[in-house]
Amino acid sequence: MAASLDPGHRLRPLPNCPSGTSLMIRTFAARWLACLALGLLFSLNGAYAQEAPIDPAGPVADLVRQLPDGSYRDRGAVIGELAATGDSALVPLLRTLEAGELFLLTETGAIVTIEPEGDEVVATDVLTGEAIGTFGEDAVEEIRVNNLIRREVRAAVSQLTLMSDSPSVRIAAAREMFNGANADSIPMLDEALAQEDNETVRAVMEEVRAVAVLRSDAGPDETAAAVDTIIERGGRQALGILQASLGSASADVAPAIEAGIARIERNLALWGVGQNIWYGLSLGSVLLLAAIGLAITFGVMGVINMAHGEMVMLGAYTTYVVQEIIRNAAPGLFDYSLAFALPLAFLVTALVGIAIERGVIRFLYGRPLETLLATWGLSLIIQQAVRTIFGASNREVGNPSWMSGAFEVGGLAITNNRLWIIVFSLVVFAVLVFVMKKTALGLHMRAVTQNRRMASSMGIRTPWVDAMTFGLGSGVAGLAGVALSQISNVSPNLGQGYIIDSFMVVVFGGVGNLWGTLVGAFTLGVFNKLLEPHTGAVLAKVLVLVAIILFIQKRPRGLFALKGRAVEA
Amino acid sequence: MISQALLRGLNGKAMWVVALLVAAAILVPASNLLLPAGHPLRVPNYLVPLMGKYLCYAMLALALDLVWGYCGILSLGHGAFFALGGYAMGMYLMRQIGDRGVYGNPDLPDFMVFLNWDALPWYWQGFDMFWFAMLMVMVVPGLLAFVFGWFAFRSRVTGVYLSIITQAMTYALLLAFFRNDMGFGGNNGLTDFKDILGASVQAGGTRAALFAASALMLAAAFVVCSAIVNSKLGKLMIAVRDAESRTRFLGFRPEYVKLFAFVVSAVIAGIAGALYVPQVGIINPGEFAPANSIEVVIWAAVGGRGSLIGPIIGAILVNVMKSYFTVAYPNLWLFALGGMFVFVTLFMPKGIVGFLSGRRWPGRPARTTTDAGLDTAKPSPAE
């Protein structure tokens, strides 16, 4: 135990050691390889990389050969000396040792790793990286490790990686130390800091050093500076470290720590609000996708399409079918499945929409309430048909690899699929605005919205515009379905969950105005998510609904009402 | 004057309906209770509450028809009033369980004991008294309809907008009642009832009495609705339905007319819900589901809206079909229901009654016969 508590022993400054310096030069190329291997090691999160050979005749190799000998304490000292060589090619070897996978070949005294092959084992020399042959199981002896050895190994690995040539390895090593740093780590960190010239790595190391200082019995000034550094860093980890240190802190620094905790908590709360806004934007994008098709049909034709949710559902099922076909026929194309699904979903739902318009709705123009009922009936039929074909249970739709995963920005956790859906909803919105403003179809649609009779008198074929509008609105719903299939369950009831919310968005935003739908969707999404932490999800939704009902009283035509004679009811 | 109005409500056709319902109220319980088991004319035990349930649905459809068929307000939230009446009745029935619940608490219903509540919430006070509960059955839905209607009609929210926000209302209530914190049993609702007015809800006599009560209340509601639509106010309601702006320009206040109809309709729906709950033995938030409310609309539409008898026929017919289909062809029921929505709106806008009578309804020009609930200046069809 004494050895492990003696910092000087473990953390002997290495560049002052002549043999270490010459070794560093000699094995420069090997270290580059090792760094590459290490980068791989970190990216694979603990997977062991192929170790680079160590000069079997050099002093490092001699030290390695001493690993099996003597008491645990002696071997701990050997590990300390290995760390002092500064040869980062040793890192994989040390990790193997820590995992208990390093063996001694008793015959020759070689240090090996083994692969079982039947009753025998294939031994590979860790120093040369070459297989030396097949031996019986008795021929090798495990190099045993206990907690003392493991601690020594971890310290050695930290030290070696902190001195690595690759900044990313150094930064990862420092981050790894963040929670475990203590007084023992300070000299090692000082050493590393003295050599460090990369600002980013320096900053991380300073933070780790601050944690170490905080946990040591350093003087009040130094501790206060350390507390400041940790507060600057912020985040949950820092909060935990400060809270843990509060108990043992002296009276001089305790107020500073408390103030720091309060400040970090305030920061975290701010980030929390930011996170909720992000969730709100994400919900808003989903609402936008679901509602925008509805806004088009409702705006142009005054028709409430209760089967709109089912169009979304059909879009999601189209994605499912496309993915099934790709899985069976060409699994390599899976990442592009959405690229196939989008146009197909648009086509399928647009055709269904046009069929509904031509088959049912056109007989009901001027009777919006009856249209509402008939489309509700259609929605029941479509739902039941899908249930009959695909079954009532949820279908699995996979995320392509580029849509899965997450990353962090400051204190925000952002998942890729949500981000893509926000982008996608904005793209769909932009395309629709373009269609409405710049194309002949859009011009006709706007004309019909504003004054159907006048438009008809001017030679616009209003029935054709109606069919196209309905097709467009339904097609957009299909696109929404593709997006929704990526974040929610695909079941026959998928559309039902969104239909009321979509109506709320359209009614809130105002009819016949795409911008109203955009603002409405994001407002409702953010409002909902900001309420949720305070009230719970269900009550938040209830409050939003009540708020919309009250809002309608104030502005019966929505946020961005069309002005003019056309909307006078 | 009110008795005069009620008498006017009892004209010709209405007389027949009332007589039929009263006869049912007497004959069905009599046949169930007096005839021996196995007698060909005996109404079997299971059928009594089932028929009582249909009558409650009929009452709900009648209530909806009063606002939709006569006032042009397509409410997609009438299920909410029905469920609120049902919850008021359910609360009374819960209080009657007393200490016979699983936890044996004399004051608190089981689910409150389960949630570790130690006292009755204030809004549960008084529901151990039957008269108070019955008052609440009418007051709660009526009040909600009044407040909701006051805001909506005063700001001239009409047409599909109104339909959508009534749907939002029932959806909001659905979500709210799902919460355990609301104190209405959360997801499970109120169930496991024992007594009503001292008689076991399971007993044959009670069921027969509940059936008779449903039939009589339906008859009463029919007379009230009939009286309303045949009065001057009824003419005004039809005027509001067919040409709201014109009615306003003539000096009437359409919002008050609509508000009156809406509140009366909500109260009738509440009573229907209250009768429904002891007969099915449970009330849960599912009754608030928007889909339920839309289904009520199809009952009225199938039977024929704008005639008081239509919704009653429609509700009974559709629900008998539903009972049959869901047992015989469970997968086909939604196709049938959906098909009904489409068929009726496309080919039978006046419903069965309008189809059978085959003549124009009095007081409505032919052109707008099917335009109930429409504002006059909506974009006209692409002829």
Side-chain angles (χ1 to χ4, degrees):
Chain A
M1 284 309 285
S4 78
L5 291 177
D6 172 13
H9 175 77
R10 279 203 331 191
L11 307 161
R12 186 181 301 148
L14 39 148
N16 301 346
C17 162
S19 71
T21 319
S22 61
L23 192 99
M24 273 169 78
I25 297 159
R26 250 190 294 148
T27 58
F28 193 76
R31 286 185 57 178
W32 266 109
L33 281 174
C35 288
L36 282 176
L38 264 174
L40 191 66
L41 183 106
F42 275 101
S43 67
L44 293 180
N45 207 4
Y48 291 99
Q50 182 68 44
E51 57 234 58
I54 297 160
D55 177 12
V60 179
D62 290 340
L63 280 172
V64 170
R65 287 196 194 94
Q66 287 172 31
L67 272 177
D69 304 333
S71 69
Y72 283 124
R73 194 185 296 180
D74 296 341
R75 289 160 52 202
V78 171
I79 294 168
E81 282 176 51
L82 277 174
T85 62
D87 187 348
S88 51
L90 287 165
V91 170
L93 184 148
L94 287 171
R95 287 193 191 265
T96 320
L97 172 65
E98 190 191 357
E101 287 165 5
L102 214 53
F103 291 79
L104 170 70
L105 192 62
T106 39
E107 234 171 273
T108 64
I111 311 292
V112 295
T113 57
I114 58 170
E115 288 276 335
E117 193 181 84
D119 289 343
E120 301 188 311
V121 292
V122 178
T124 310
D125 193 309
V126 288
L127 293 173
T128 59
E130 288 163 8
I132 31 185
T134 310
F135 301 90
E137 272 178 10
D138 301 340
V140 291
E141 190 180 302
E142 185 187 339
I143 300 178
R144 292 228 292 274
V145 285
N146 66 355
N147 282 341
L148 168 69
I149 299 283
R150 284 194 197 99
R151 217 163 30 235
E152 289 286 339
V153 167
R154 274 197 288 268
V157 168
S158 307
Q159 186 173 349
L160 289 174
T161 46
L162 276 180
M163 302 294 171
S164 159
D165 285 342
S166 149
S168 65
V169 172
R170 293 200 299 271
I171 221 166
R175 285 212 176 110
E176 208 168 86
M177 286 177 72
F178 200 80
N179 273 334
N182 54 24
D184 295 348
S185 330
I186 297 175
M188 174 167 80
L189 284 163
D190 284 341
E191 185 59 45
L193 275 167
Q195 299 185 346
E196 189 57 64
D197 46 11
N198 182 321
E199 276 307 312
T200 327
V201 184
R202 256 189 103 79
V204 178
M205 284 183 178
E206 292 278 9
E207 286 159 10
V208 178
R209 186 177 182 281
V211 174
V213 168
L214 185 66
R215 285 175 180 160
S216 71
D217 38 13
D221 290 348
E222 219 180 325
T223 315
V227 168
D228 284 347
T229 312
I230 296 175
I231 293 171
E232 276 307 313
R233 183 186 183 273
R236 263 182 213 293
Q237 239 180 344
L239 186 65
I241 286 163
L242 285 181
Q243 275 165 344
S245 69
L246 194 57
S248 59
S250 67
D252 299 340
V253 288
I257 295 183
E258 271 166 9
I261 289 176
R263 196 173 135 201
I264 295 179
E265 275 174 346
R266 219 170 28 244
N267 264 337
L268 282 178
L270 269 180
W271 280 116
V273 171
Q275 183 79 60
N276 281 325
I277 290 178
W278 166 255
Y279 287 146
L281 291 177
S282 167
L283 176 66
S285 67
V286 169
L287 289 178
L288 176 63
L289 279 171
I292 198 160
L294 201 65
I296 292 173
T297 47
F298 190 24
V300 175
M301 295 187 278
V303 158
I304 279 281
N305 180 15
M306 292 296 253
H308 188 78
E310 275 54 47
M311 299 296 152
V312 176
M313 186 257 290
L314 284 181
Y317 270 93
T318 310
T319 318
Y320 165 71
V321 171
V322 166
Q323 289 203 345
E324 279 302 295
I325 292 172
I326 287 181
R327 266 201 195 104
N328 293 329
L333 288 176
F334 191 76
D335 273 356
Y336 306 98
S337 59
L338 294 190
F340 296 109
L342 280 176
L344 263 176
F346 185 89
L347 211 63
V348 167
T349 50
L351 287 178
V352 173
I354 290 174
I356 289 177
E357 202 276 339
R358 287 288 93 185
V360 176
I361 292 177
R362 84 185 153 111
F363 302 110
L364 295 172
Y365 279 129
R367 294 190 278 158
L369 296 181
E370 265 120 332
T371 315
L372 189 155
L373 293 180
T375 48
W376 173 261
L378 288 171
S379 84
L380 292 182
I381 294 174
I382 295 173
Q383 255 181 58
Q384 187 61 22
V386 168
R387 204 172 282 130
T388 313
I389 298 170
F390 293 99
S393 53
N394 289 343
R395 292 286 145 187
E396 197 207 323
V397 173
N399 283 352
S401 57
W402 48 270
M403 272 186 88
S404 37
F407 61 93
E408 284 194 7
V409 179
L412 297 183
I414 292 175
T415 49
N416 282 337
N417 56 359
R418 295 271 175 182
L419 181 67
W420 277 113
I421 286 174
I422 291 181
V423 171
F424 178 65
S425 70
L426 292 178
V427 169
V428 169
F429 177 80
V431 169
L432 279 180
V433 168
F434 176 81
V435 168
M436 292 298 273
K437 298 274 180 203
K438 300 287 177 197
T439 64
L441 176 66
L443 183 69
H444 293 171
M445 273 157 73
R446 282 182 291 139
V448 174
T449 310
Q450 284 169 16
N451 195 327
R452 179 176 289 270
R453 277 192 191 158
M454 184 62 82
S456 185
S457 311
M458 300 301 284
I460 294 172
R461 289 164 57 197
T462 54
W464 185 82
V465 171
D466 285 333
M468 285 303 115
T469 309
F470 212 81
L472 181 64
S474 303
V476 171
L479 297 182
V482 178
L484 283 179
S485 73
Q486 295 299 308
I487 51 169
S488 68
N489 295 324
V490 177
S491 77
N493 302 327
L494 172 77
Q496 296 255 292
Y498 291 98
I499 188 76
I500 291 185
D501 290 333
S502 323
F503 280 141
M504 292 301 117
V505 169
V506 173
V507 167
F508 178 66
V511 169
N513 189 330
L514 291 180
W515 291 100
T517 311
L518 179 78
V519 174
F522 283 109
T523 311
L524 291 186
V526 172
F527 187 49
N528 202 336
K529 287 294 173 187
L530 285 181
L531 271 178
E532 255 177 35
H534 306 289
T535 62
V538 175
L539 197 57
K541 201 155 189 189
V542 173
L543 289 176
V544 168
L545 286 176
V546 171
I548 293 172
I549 292 175
L550 290 176
F551 176 82
I552 295 294
Q553 320 296 333
K554 201 72 205 149
R555 300 196 64 154
R557 297 282 149 189
L559 209 53
F560 296 86
L562 274 186
K563 293 190 176 63
R565 213 179 291 186
V567 291
E568 272 307 310
Chain B
M1 197 189 111
I2 289 175
S3 57
Q4 263 181 352
L6 287 179
L7 278 178
R8 209 177 319 125
L10 273 176
N11 61 1
K13 263 190 296 182
M15 205 63 176
W16 280 106
V17 176
V18 170
L20 207 64
L21 284 169
V22 171
I26 296 168
L27 290 179
V28 170
S31 122
N32 177 254
L33 295 175
L34 300 180
L35 294 175
H39 192 283
L41 285 178
R42 184 175 185 273
V43 178
N45 282 337
Y46 78 91
L47 213 52
V48 177
L50 191 64
M51 285 161 56
K53 197 174 90 172
Y54 294 158
L55 292 182
C56 295
Y57 286 152
M59 213 163 142
L60 177 57
L62 178 70
L64 179 76
D65 187 47
L66 186 66
V67 287
W68 185 33
Y70 287 92
C71 225
I73 307 163
L74 176 54
S75 163
L76 295 182
H78 251 53
F81 304 126
F82 183 79
L84 283 175
Y87 264 98
M89 179 58 122
M91 285 159 82
Y92 164 74
L93 294 171
M94 285 309 267
R95 295 297 303 273
Q96 294 305 302
I97 295 175
D99 57 5
R100 283 169 293 173
V102 178
Y103 296 105
N105 190 312
D107 288 328
L108 296 186
D110 277 349
F111 70 86
M112 289 191 194
V113 182
F114 187 74
L115 291 173
N116 286 324
W117 292 16
D118 44 14
L120 270 185
W122 60 269
Y123 48 84
W124 273 75
Q125 302 294 342
F127 275 91
D128 48 339
M129 292 171 283
F130 185 72
W131 66 268
F132 182 78
M134 290 310 103
L135 194 64
M136 287 301 124
V137 159
M138 294 185 272
V139 168
V140 173
L143 199 65
L144 174 64
F146 183 80
V147 173
F148 188 88
W150 172 267
F151 283 116
F153 302 140
R154 214 183 40 143
S155 357
R156 301 187 190 174
V157 180
T158 51
V160 282
Y161 280 95
L162 188 79
S163 303
I164 294 305
I165 65 166
T166 52
Q167 192 177 32
M169 174 190 78
T170 191
Y171 186 57
L173 283 168
L174 167 80
L175 294 174
F177 272 74
F178 262 122
R179 287 161 44 90
N180 280 328
D181 303 355
M182 280 283 282
F184 293 106
N187 193 10
N188 298 325
L190 310 174
T191 185
D192 221 5
F193 308 130
K194 309 273 193 236
D195 287 351
I196 179 167
L197 285 173
S200 162
V201 286
Q202 303 289 337
T206 319
R207 301 215 139 172
L210 281 168
F211 173 85
S214 307
L216 292 177
M217 282 314 291
L218 177 58
F222 188 86
V223 172
V224 168
C225 290
S226 179
I228 290 173
V229 299
N230 286 316
S231 65
K232 272 187 190 162
L233 186 62
K235 297 275 178 292
L236 209 49
M237 280 160 62
I238 293 172
V240 169
R241 173 191 73 189
D242 290 343
E244 182 172 341
S245 304
R246 214 175 296 175
T247 316
R248 186 178 289 120
F249 299 153
L250 287 173
F252 296 102
R253 302 292 296 268
E255 53 268 37
Y256 294 148
V257 177
K258 285 163 134 183
L259 191 58
F260 173 79
F262 200 56
V263 171
V264 170
S265 169
V267 170
I268 295 175
I271 296 173
L275 286 164
Y276 171 83
V277 167
Q279 301 192 66
V280 297
I282 186 169
I283 174 79
N284 64 25
E287 295 294 335
F288 286 106
N292 280 13
S293 296
I294 298 188
E295 223 180 296
V296 181
V297 174
I298 200 63
W299 303 340
V302 166
R305 66 202 159 89
S307 76
L308 291 175
I309 182 76
I312 298 180
I313 296 173
I316 295 176
L317 191 74
V318 174
N319 279 295
V320 168
M321 277 174 65
K322 183 177 186 174
S323 298
Y324 171 73
F325 264 96
T326 43
V327 173
Y329 310 100
N331 290 330
L332 291 184
W333 167 240
L334 280 182
F335 285 124
L337 185 67
M340 228 177 326
F341 271 100
V342 178
F343 182 83
V344 168
T345 44
L346 280 184
F347 303 108
M348 281 191 356
K350 287 181 261 176
I352 293 172
V353 170
F355 183 72
L356 289 183
S357 64
R359 60 189 167 87
R360 278 208 270 145
W361 296 339
R364 302 184 68 189
R367 170 64 188 80
T368 54
T369 301
T370 51
D371 278 12
L374 247 194
D375 268 320
T376 44
K378 277 275 183 294
S380 55
E383 283 123 343

